[in-house]
Amino acid sequence: KIPDGSDLLAHHFFHGKLNDSSVHSKAITYLSRAAQRARLDYANEAALFYLERALGLEIRWQWLADQTALLHLLGRRDEEQRSLERLSNAPNVPPTQLALSRSAYFEAISAYDQAIEQLKAAARNAMVQGDRASHAHCLAELGLIAWKQGELDTAESNYRSVLEILHGDGEFRGERADARYGLGLIYRQQGSYDAALGEFGIALASYQALGNRQSEAKLRIAIGHVENRRNHLDDALDSYRAGLDIYRMIGDRSGLGAGLVSLAQGISAAGDLESANQPLVEALEIHQALGDLWWQTIDLNELAINAMLVGRFDEAGRHLERGLSLSREIGDESGVAYALCNLGQI
């Protein structure tokens, strides 16, 4: 139940005499408020319900952008694509917003070339408009894609550019946190664990202050990975489970899949290889349903390693061959190298 009463008012006016302009206007107002309230409460299905009703009365690009973002969070890619098409045809949609919505969709299905194209277009528009927040967001997302593709220098350059653009400005705390998170990923990959935790700690504090639960969850997972690599396995598992709890609460299927892989890695590091398989299988099913090829390569590599460690080499080989094929498909050079390295050990 939405506590401010906007849901009841939305229901009342929506079922009123909508041919009366005053009733029509109030229905739109309260449907919009109910959707916003539901989003804040992570009542995602309720938010979609109110948005669809509002869109039935009037087409506004803001509502279509919100609908697209909700479907993205829930991992409903076919519906997200249809919502994107409606957003593309909406009156007065800002080019930056449209490009950002498109880039999020393409990144989620591992269509990185298209995602990069949209992010660069959004960045150009943001610069022309003097929109520093959107420009910084684009650079951070470009950094994340570069990191996924193993291009650490490019990723770091993008993240540092974000901090330079926003230097000395007390606003844009979330955008700066995104850059800190990205730098932490790079430090972690380089084995600089103290530096990684320093960046993650700054980002986590910012996300918590902003009430950004989705980003808080990804920080919990990221911190768990550092603790795992430092062999602090209990701390790692606690962090993974804390992140998973948030992802389940907010309905983020992509985050849930990523968190399950992390949990499996922690369980495997603790020596329970059989128990580690179940979350990996579940993660693979989620990522297949979402069409996320990059994460599928991670799932398959982890399943292969577990199979190798218990002597199931044929099974490991099948997982690695499939992961290798997907890595080549999305241009992930580090994924290709990783799969080939492991195949060489069979």
Side-chain angles (χ1 to χ4, degrees):
K1 178 178 171 61
I2 299 168
D4 65 358
S6 54
D7 58 336
L8 298 177
L9 290 166
H11 178 82
H12 171 76
F13 286 108
F14 182 79
H15 290 285
K17 295 179 179 180
L18 291 172
N19 57 344
D20 181 321
S21 61
S22 176
V23 173
H24 188 276
S25 176
K26 288 179 180 177
I28 286 175
T29 296
Y30 288 111
L31 284 167
S32 179
R33 288 183 186 176
Q36 292 171 6
R37 181 70 250 178
R39 284 195 75 186
L40 289 173
D41 292 341
Y42 294 102
N44 300 318
E45 295 297 340
L48 286 170
F49 173 78
Y50 293 124
L51 285 170
E52 194 57 47
R53 282 197 161 183
L55 288 164
L57 300 177
E58 183 178 317
I59 298 298
R60 293 187 186 179
W61 71 261
Q62 296 95 331
W63 295 340
L64 286 167
D66 287 346
Q67 181 186 64
T68 302
L70 281 164
L71 293 168
H72 182 82
L73 175 73
L74 294 168
R76 286 152 56 174
R77 298 290 175 242
D78 290 343
E79 293 174 73
E80 180 185 356
Q81 186 179 33
R82 290 194 291 272
S83 185
L84 262 178
E85 290 172 1
R86 294 176 71 188
L87 179 61
S88 301
N89 296 318
N92 304 315
V93 57
T96 301
Q97 176 61 60
L98 181 57
L100 286 173
S101 295
R102 285 172 170 167
S103 70
Y105 170 76
F106 286 129
E107 192 274 336
I109 62 171
S110 304
Y112 294 133
D113 288 344
Q114 293 98 315
I116 290 169
E117 180 183 357
Q118 293 297 322
L119 284 167
K120 287 182 175 179
R124 288 193 296 270
N125 287 326
M127 288 179 68
V128 169
Q129 296 163 0
D131 183 351
R132 295 167 67 198
S134 293
H135 185 202
H137 175 75
C138 291
L139 291 175
E141 289 300 309
L142 286 166
L144 184 61
I145 292 173
W147 175 79
K148 284 186 172 183
Q149 294 183 314
E151 300 170 2
L152 299 189
D153 290 342
T154 301
E156 182 172 1
S157 175
N158 277 295
Y159 290 131
R160 294 205 180 280
S161 293
V162 171
L163 296 178
E164 289 172 11
I165 289 170
L166 304 179
H167 177 69
D169 197 317
E171 298 182 42
F172 313 121
R173 191 171 184 179
E175 288 77 14
R176 288 200 301 275
D178 292 340
R180 294 293 184 186
Y181 166 72
L183 289 172
L185 294 178
I186 293 167
Y187 288 141
R188 187 186 71 197
Q189 195 153 338
Q190 294 171 338
S192 301
Y193 299 136
D194 288 340
L197 286 177
E199 299 292 350
F200 288 154
I202 294 170
L204 179 60
S206 294
Y207 290 139
Q208 287 176 320
L210 294 168
N212 187 336
R213 300 307 307 279
Q214 184 179 29
S215 292
E216 179 186 345
K218 77 179 181 183
L219 258 296
R220 297 289 185 190
I221 299 295
I223 291 169
H225 284 314
V226 175
E227 299 298 355
N228 192 348
R229 293 189 183 187
R230 298 172 82 174
N231 206 33
H232 300 164
L233 299 183
D234 288 341
D235 291 337
L237 288 170
D238 286 345
S239 289
Y240 293 149
R241 288 177 177 129
L244 276 169
D245 286 345
I246 296 172
Y247 281 135
R248 288 192 178 98
M249 187 271 290
I250 66 176
D252 183 346
R253 289 186 70 206
S254 180
L256 177 60
L260 286 167
V261 175
S262 302
L263 179 63
Q265 290 172 333
I267 293 171
S268 179
D272 190 354
L273 299 178
E274 291 300 326
S275 296
N277 269 354
Q278 182 53 45
L280 287 173
V281 170
E282 188 178 348
L284 181 59
E285 290 173 351
I286 290 172
H287 292 134
Q288 287 173 334
L290 298 179
D292 191 326
L293 303 185
W294 186 81
W295 268 110
Q296 288 178 51
T297 67
I298 304 298
D299 304 333
L300 290 163
N301 283 329
E302 292 296 325
L303 285 166
I305 290 171
N306 281 1
M308 288 170 62
L309 290 172
V310 295
R312 298 199 299 267
F313 297 110
D314 288 344
E315 177 185 334
R318 289 193 298 272
H319 290 317
L320 288 170
E321 290 288 357
R322 178 58 179 154
L324 176 61
S325 175
L326 292 176
S327 291
R328 284 174 170 157
E329 183 177 340
I330 62 176
D332 179 5
E333 294 181 7
S334 61
V336 169
Y338 188 81
L340 287 173
C341 178
N342 283 319
L343 278 166
Q345 298 180 55
I346 297 178

